[in-house]
Amino acid sequence: MSIFDGLPISADRSYLKEELSRVDESWAAARFDSLPHVVHILTSKDREGEVASLKEQSEIIEEVVDEVVHAYHSGFNKAIQNYSQILRLFSESTESIAVLKTDLEDAKKLLGSRNKQLHQLWYRSVTLRHIISLLDQIEGIAKVPARIEKLISEKQFYAAVQLHAQSTLMLEREGLQAVGALQDVRSELTKLRGVLFYKVLEDLHSHLYNMGEYSSATTSIYQKDEDLPTTTTVAYSVNGSQSLSRRTRLLKGDNHIGASGPGDGSYRPGSVDGSSFDGHDDESALEMLDGAASDGYISSKKASGGDGTLKDVKFVSRQIPPWLAHSTPSEFIEAIKKSDAPLHVKYLQTMVECLCILGKVAAAGAIICQRLRPTIREVITSKIKAHAAAVNLSRSGIGQPVRTANSGLHYLKGQLESYQSLKQKRQNGIVLAGTLLAVSPVSPVMAPKGAAQAAAKELLDSILDAIIRMLENHVIVGELLETKSAQQSGMSTPKAMNGDSNWNLDSEASQVTGGYSIVFSLTVLQSECQQLICEILRATPEATSADAAVQTARLASKVPNKDKRNGSEDSLTFAFRLTDATISIPNQGADLFRQGWNRRGPNVVQEGYGTAAVLPEHGIYLAASVYRPVLQFTDKVTSLLPPKYSQLGNDGLLTFVENFLKDHFLPTMFVDYRKGVQQAIASPAAFRPRAHPASTYTPLIDSGRPVLQGLLAIDFLAKEVLGWAQAMPKYAGELVKYVQTFLERTYERCRTAYMEAVLEKQSYMLIGRHDVESLMRLDPASSCLPNSSGQPIMENNASDAETVEAEMEMSDLLLSLRPIKQENLIRDNNKLILLASLSDSLEYVAESIERLGQASPKPSIQADPNHKDKNHHRTSSSSTPSRDLASFADEYRRLAIDCLKVLHVEMQLETIFHLQEMTDREYLEDQDAEEPDDFIISLTAQITRRDEEIAPFVAEVKRSYIFGGICSVAANASIKALADMKSINLFGVQQICRNSIALEQALAAVPSIDSESVRQRLDRVRTYYELLNMPFEALLAFITEHEYLFTAAEYSNLLKVTVPGRVIPADAEERISEILTH
């Protein structure tokens, strides 16, 4: 960068910059040496040119200097003028200072002569000012009681406490102690301290139980976890060593309220904001308390409605709350203004701070402890009464806008009504509801989805919701008081306390707070909840005895141990025993519901919370509706508690409920349902088919599907037990396993009934043969049979020829069993009806089991982490069933298929049994037949009768399967019978045709059988026998045209039988063989 840059050269002389750039910078050096330039000119060849160049540069520099002088001319002039003005002012100041020195010398001489008089006047003024200050203070203090009463009436408790503490401290100052006129004021302040204490305590008590003006809004704990209220408390900081709750930790970093006050409940000497009372500060403080409202004040009357709820005013963050509007600014108020905590949390902090200023923390804690249990009991009782009133209002129809809180009860009430409507329906004349109620150990209202279960869950949801919100307030207050006590301990013990020493401080902290702590409040809350649950379940806990308060205090005084924190002696445990005030009456019919747990004994006194006004029934079976609300309650309690108390939330109410379920509810339920299962399957009517004779089969159970009563009851019990499993997922494994147990017992009972019907019968022995089973699979009619997965069998994709061949093989196999004896057949129609009904009932239960298996909860393995080795085997055996419900469905379905197969084969054997009379006889009739043979009449009558009797019990497609094999067997047996006949005449042929027509009519009358198929098969029989009436030549012509209509053996049999009047050549068989072989 050149030294000539930045010169103020105008734009029209910009060429000067270029000329200046050509000037060597050595000419502008600080120590210029001209000798080198002179030598250069003298030694140059063109001396004149060098000189001319120097002159040009000199002229350029002069022009630049002119430009600079022109540009800065006005500035130079102004600077000279300013300098002249400064010089003039300096001269004048020198003269003034000289005069001032002279005046000061004169004043010094004058003051020196009056020094003693001035000192006396100053001392007098100071004395008078002090007297005036004392008189002002006395006048102000005299008005303090009235101001405090006014602040109390306006619920400005913090300002009243501030004024009281400040005034009390001022009365103790020197100069005011001897003032006799203030004795009355001291007495009034002493009384007001007690009044303030009880007012503050009463307001704190109201807000602890959400009955105050600034209590938190109602929020349900049984919504989704992300909807949990995330209100936070602001705790006192104690060097970071105090365990804080989830709410406290959220605001720990930027809020430290009350750090200036000691933790013993006393108030540190000094003003409210930490400054001392001295001189004018006292006056300003009293004036502020006596003056108008501060800028951020909003009166509580404007901020609240008539019912004490916030309505019009919405407080934004950083705004002073209305109850602090008249307060003197202090560190606490500044922290409250900066806090983001909810309004009710700030109010609780203010009340605790008031108690600390009054020095009444221990007394307040003791009174809160004393009133805790009665208040909780009163709150629960009032909730129950309000719930009962709401239910009664909804039942009476008054007030159509029904509350949403009762929606669950109304829904399940509708379920009960639909259940009772089932009672009015008749299944083919049989009332099913009575049977189901007779075997179920519980009444409809106590069922898993009954009205009592819904009412109990809804009631517990409401009460535990209120309890959790009260516990939240107790956690806030308990943490604040614990922090105060920790501060006191921190001040008395200089060493930092951490680790296990925190637990050792609990006894001291409990003494400082009058016995009140988070552990104590949690214990009492859970104890009352336990007593409520015990009243619902009719269990009597140890905590409900006369010394309940003593026991609670003993439990609350225990502190967790680091080595045995989960031990039984260090956790909150609740002992219980079952009440003996119940009676047990066995089931005796549909009108006798479950007794014992569900019915009060004669000596039971109706005392407690009054849940009978809400719950239709009490009893042990309500434990299912108690479990889930308690589980959710425990989760919320754990999330509310500080980390060091987290284990206490799991060791209380949930442990009691789980122990009750494990030790009493599940064993009782297993015994009751075992009796119900035994009664269902052992009753004489359990496997007695019942249906109206004129009724038709319907696939819907509500429309009258004739399922056997025993199996219908078992299905009902299985659904009921799995309903308990859904209500208690933790015990789903044991309940599902129990369902499998009585399903297995029921299957064995069904198997026994099946074997009683088919034992030693030929049809039962045949379906067990492998060759018969293979042929039955090829039968097209078997497509209606479901496989093990419940889907129809799709294996029979064989062609018509293969199907006909399979039918022929099956017929031949059955015909080979001739002669069939009557004792080898099922002649009792009741047994056949039982097999049909058993098949359909087993299919119904199998489908129901499959649906239950898909809808039932998965078994959950929840072993106690503290007893892993002890309970590992038990958990794996009880929660992991070796089989699933689908395998039982397969077993039930296979037995149903066996029943249908037996009926199918039985009807075929019955047909062969009747048609075997055609063999070994002569059909030489002497007149035209008008009636079929007796055995045909007997067979057709039996087919018609059995179809009518079986029709109400099986679907039409399965009726088709049962009776569908008769036609093919009858046709084949009729044709094969010709080989065993000795002789037959024209009238005999007509008799056989009459028999086939009668059989066709009987089979066509069965709605499920294809009449066209029957006609074709029996037409073939008639055609075959009518060939006996043809001359031999005509027979040859027929065989030539229909060589595949019958087999070679069948054509050969036509020649072997003796037909009067027919001439058969000697080479007849050879000629027929030639035709068939071509």
Side-chain angles (χ1 to χ4, degrees), residues 372-679:
L372 179 58
R373 185 179 293 276
T375 306
I376 294 297
R377 196 173 188 86
E378 181 182 354
V379 169
I380 294 176
T381 305
S382 63
K383 283 280 184 184
I384 293 174
K385 290 180 179 178
H387 198 81
V391 171
N392 293 333
L393 184 64
S394 65
R395 288 176 179 174
S396 62
I398 302 175
Q400 294 303 322
V402 183
R403 300 179 182 178
T404 57
N406 298 324
S407 59
L409 178 60
H410 295 163
Y411 170 75
L412 289 165
K413 185 178 178 183
Q415 295 292 327
L416 175 61
E417 292 174 355
S418 64
Y419 181 89
Q420 291 177 345
S421 67
L422 175 63
K423 200 172 182 181
Q424 306 302 325
K425 294 182 180 180
R426 292 179 171 270
Q427 177 185 339
N428 294 330
I430 306 300
V431 179
L432 295 178
T435 303
L436 300 182
L437 293 177
V439 298
S440 176
V442 294
S443 62
V445 294
M446 292 289 284
K449 293 185 178 181
Q453 301 288 343
K457 184 178 184 303
E458 186 177 357
L459 180 64
L460 274 180
D461 284 346
S462 174
I463 292 175
L464 295 181
D465 181 16
I467 294 295
I468 204 68
R469 287 187 282 114
M470 289 186 286
L471 177 62
E472 178 185 351
N473 296 332
H474 280 282
V475 170
I476 294 170
V477 174
E479 282 189 293
L480 293 175
L481 295 180
E482 284 182 9
T483 307
K484 286 288 187 181
S485 63
Q487 282 183 344
Q488 180 191 23
S489 302
M491 293 176 64
S492 60
T493 306
K495 293 183 179 181
M497 293 167 290
N498 48 32
D500 292 341
S501 59
N502 281 335
W503 292 108
N504 298 329
L505 293 176
D506 282 354
S507 58
E508 289 185 37
S510 180
Q511 295 175 1
V512 172
T513 59
Y516 177 76
S517 65
I518 295 177
V519 177
F520 179 83
S521 58
L522 175 62
T523 304
V524 175
L525 287 170
Q526 293 199 104
S527 175
E528 287 299 317
C529 292
Q530 179 199 358
Q531 293 182 58
L532 172 66
I533 292 173
C534 289
E535 179 177 320
I536 295 174
L537 302 182
R538 289 185 176 257
T540 304
E542 185 179 302
T544 58
S545 59
D547 59 343
V550 177
Q551 184 196 17
T552 302
R554 175 175 58 81
L555 290 174
S557 65
K558 292 185 178 182
V559 294
N561 186 290
K562 187 171 73 172
D563 297 330
K564 297 182 179 181
R565 185 166 296 178
N566 296 326
S568 60
E569 66 271 16
D570 293 322
S571 60
L572 296 179
T573 57
F574 296 86
F576 60 91
R577 63 182 178 85
L578 298 179
T579 179
D580 297 326
T582 56
I583 57 177
S584 178
I585 301 176
N587 294 314
Q588 297 178 2
D591 56 337
L592 292 179
F593 297 145
R594 170 64 180 161
Q595 308 293 332
W597 287 104
N598 302 333
R599 197 163 185 172
R600 296 185 178 88
N603 298 323
V604 177
V605 180
Q606 297 184 8
E607 296 179 353
Y609 297 95
T611 54
V614 178
L615 303 181
E617 291 188 29
H618 292 73
I620 191 173
Y621 280 94
L622 290 179
S625 61
V626 168
Y627 175 74
R628 194 177 295 274
V630 170
L631 184 63
Q632 294 171 337
F633 171 79
T634 302
D635 292 341
K636 302 305 176 182
V637 168
T638 304
S639 67
L640 287 176
L641 293 177
K644 72 174 183 178
Y645 298 123
S646 59
Q647 183 60 35
L648 302 182
N650 295 326
D651 288 341
L653 196 60
L654 182 61
T655 302
F656 161 71
V657 172
E658 288 182 345
N659 288 338
F660 183 85
L661 291 173
K662 181 178 63 176
D663 298 335
H664 291 272
F665 175 68
L666 292 180
T668 301
M669 186 179 69
F670 290 162
V671 171
D672 290 345
Y673 277 91
R674 187 181 298 115
K675 292 179 181 178
V677 171
Q678 182 65 25
Q679 179 180 348

Side-chain angles (χ1 to χ4, degrees), residues 338-371:
K338 295 177 181 179
S339 172
D340 293 329
L343 203 62
H344 73 283
V345 176
K346 293 181 179 180
Y347 194 81
L348 292 174
Q349 294 166 354
T350 305
M351 294 298 101
V352 172
E353 184 69 13
C354 290
L355 293 175
C356 293
I357 296 174
L358 290 172
K360 290 283 191 177
V361 172
I367 295 176
I368 291 175
C369 291
Q370 184 180 3
R371 298 177 64 182

Side-chain angles (χ1 to χ4, degrees), residues 989 993 996 1016-1028 1030 1038 1042 1045-1046 1054:
V989 171
C993 291
S996 66
Q1016 291 177 359
R1017 294 173 186 272
L1018 295 180
D1019 274 351
R1020 184 172 178 271
V1021 173
R1022 290 191 289 272
T1023 301
Y1024 181 73
Y1025 276 93
E1026 287 174 354
L1027 293 177
L1028 296 173
M1030 292 184 181
F1038 179 86
H1042 306 88
L1045 182 59
F1046 300 102
L1054 291 172

